[in-house]
Amino acid sequence: MYALVIVVGAMTRAADRPRSRRILRLIALERIARGVLLLATGVYLLFHLNSDFGRLAERVMRAIELDPRRPSLHRIVAYLRHLPASELRIAAIVALGYGALELVEGTGLWLDQLWAEYLTVIATSLLLPFELYELVHRPSVWKAAGIIVNLAIVGYLAYLLMRRVRRSRPLEPTTTSERLDEVSP
């Protein structure tokens, strides 16, 4: 039974070169940090559903020396003042779920698990259209930077996965006679 666990564990390990593992560890740290932040945000929102987030935003803006009376910032403060508890609850649940997903991805990448690479590519790719939509309708430098980082992560992990598949696939015959030799008895 113990040998089976070792074999299965070895099959799910990515076992990349040290340089690739360092990059995967950086991606894992980014995912773990984002996951912890999202979980903390979700928990905070759940326990502060009836708080005045407009007042909180105004205090934060003043603390970092922004003027909350500026039209763009005032709109944010006004929106946050009238945010219903039902929307906060939904945002909290989404933050908790997405934070858990990010922690699973990060932990799996840190432990060099192959399934985590697939999960990260799939989950990040599925969210890219929503990020692009948001960037088109409400452009900002931060959103563009986030999309660039996510595209780089997906591209890098897809490259690693394709390279691994190519290495594990046996060489295919190149000529017709070689293919016919395989078919004939």
Side-chain angles (χ1 to χ4, degrees):
M1 180 66 170
Y2 183 70
L4 179 64
V5 171
I6 291 173
V7 170
V8 171
M11 289 172 40
T12 61
R13 282 200 165 289
D16 287 316
R17 289 182 268 164
R19 181 168 182 228
S20 297
R21 274 188 290 226
R22 278 194 300 267
I23 294 171
L24 286 175
R25 291 265 168 110
L26 284 174
I27 296 169
L29 286 174
E30 181 262 341
R31 296 296 159 148
I32 291 169
R34 196 184 326 186
V36 168
L37 183 65
L38 284 164
L39 286 175
T41 301
V43 168
Y44 181 84
L45 288 175
L46 275 179
F47 286 103
H48 295 87
L49 290 174
N50 296 318
S51 296
D52 184 0
F53 287 101
R55 184 177 300 155
L56 176 64
E58 198 171 315
R59 277 187 283 174
V60 169
M61 287 177 195
R62 289 186 194 284
I64 59 174
E65 298 182 8
L66 291 175
D67 184 9
R69 294 174 296 185
R70 290 180 54 198
S72 59
L73 297 177
H74 180 69
R75 279 195 301 270
I76 293 170
V77 170
Y79 174 76
L80 290 173
R81 275 189 209 277
H82 304 292
L83 201 57
S86 60
E87 285 185 29
L88 286 173
R89 188 175 292 111
I90 291 170
I93 292 169
V94 169
L96 289 170
Y98 191 47
L101 175 65
E102 293 281 336
L103 277 177
V104 168
E105 288 176 16
T107 304
L109 289 172
W110 185 268
L111 297 174
D112 199 25
Q113 298 296 306
L114 189 56
W115 58 263
E117 292 180 30
Y118 281 106
L119 177 64
T120 304
V121 167
I122 292 167
T124 306
S125 297
L126 288 174
L127 293 174
L128 280 172
F130 298 109
E131 292 178 11
L132 289 170
Y133 175 84
E134 187 67 25
L135 178 67
V136 168
H137 289 335
R138 294 185 199 110
S140 80
V141 174
W142 294 109
K143 290 176 188 173
I147 290 173
I148 290 169
V149 167
N150 283 338
L151 283 171
I153 289 171
V154 168
Y156 180 74
L157 290 177
Y159 164 76
L160 286 180
L161 292 169
M162 287 188 328
R163 188 178 72 189
R164 194 172 296 112
V165 166
R166 267 191 245 123
R167 267 190 308 197
S168 66
R169 188 183 306 160
L171 293 175
E172 295 181 15
T174 54
T175 64
T176 308
S177 63
E178 288 176 0
R179 288 188 203 120
L180 289 175
D181 289 340
E182 289 179 3
V183 175
S184 60

